[in-house]
Amino acid sequence: MTSDFEAQLRSVSLRVTRPRLAVLAALRDHPHVDTDTVIALVRADLPTISHQAVYDVLRALTDAGLVRRIQPARATARYEARVGDNHHHVVCRSCGAIADVDCAVGSAPCLTASDAHGFTVDEAEVVYWGTCPDCATARTSQRSTSSEGSR
Ligand SMILES: [Zn+2]
Ligand SMILES: [Zn+2]
Ligand SMILES: [Zn+2]
């Protein structure tokens, strides 16, 4: 696996460093995590790495296209190493859980604007909002508990 990451870094002319490898490994195992979580995961490997060093690595990897930064409305930025397939996300309004949704078309922009006002459109940002199964279950059991209580 490590050698895959080395090849990825070389393919975008980035030097192979332990922090970069650690960040890529963390994002492979934990997609859609925020910066603090990335720092905690990387520190399991490299205990002395600074916040700033992780920020710098995330920025370099994002700029190089190896990492994708997503930021649903009202949420903190999350990072993932699944790039290049124009996939979308479903976000829970209640707990912020995020899951991947394959794009039916697969290439951007997968939606055609009804009127692009002369703009050259190269991306359509699609976010599905809803309630995750855990929150839906919690809500249902809460409801049944409270209706029992009012009886
Ligand atoms: Zn939820
Ligand atoms: Zn994703
Ligand atoms: Zn799509």
Side-chain angles (χ1 to χ4, degrees):
M1 271 306 167
T2 301
S3 57
D4 282 355
F5 295 143
E6 288 179 8
Q8 280 186 14
L9 288 168
R10 290 207 188 90
S11 74
V12 293
S13 313
L14 283 181
R15 214 154 42 84
V16 176
T17 65
R18 286 204 62 196
R20 286 172 180 167
L21 294 175
V23 167
L24 285 171
L27 291 177
R28 178 199 58 205
D29 297 338
H30 305 269
H32 315 131
V33 288
D34 61 14
T35 311
D36 287 346
T37 309
V38 174
I39 291 169
L41 291 166
V42 169
R43 280 193 173 157
D45 249 359
L46 305 170
T48 57
I49 195 165
S50 68
H51 281 226
Q52 191 56 49
V54 175
Y55 288 130
D56 290 347
V57 168
L58 280 171
R59 177 162 327 139
L61 295 178
T62 305
D63 287 349
L66 296 184
V67 165
R68 181 172 166 195
R69 183 181 190 274
I70 56 168
Q71 185 154 26
R74 302 186 306 276
T76 52
R78 317 284 189 95
Y79 296 88
E80 66 181 341
R82 182 179 167 183
V83 294
D85 63 354
N86 195 52
H87 74 272
H88 306 304
H89 295 100
V90 57
V91 184
C92 177
R93 286 186 197 282
S94 182
C95 71
I98 298 183
D100 286 335
V101 179
D102 288 342
C103 179
V105 175
S107 56
C110 60
L111 292 176
T112 308
S114 57
D115 178 359
H117 301 280
F119 285 51
T120 304
V121 175
D122 58 28
E123 184 180 354
E125 191 174 275
V126 181
V127 177
Y128 301 92
W129 291 92
T131 307
C132 76
D134 285 352
C135 290
T137 310
R139 209 173 282 177
T140 314
S141 61
Q142 236 173 36
R143 212 176 286 150
S144 59
T145 315
S146 62
S147 64
E148 272 162 33
S150 66
R151 238 180 263 151

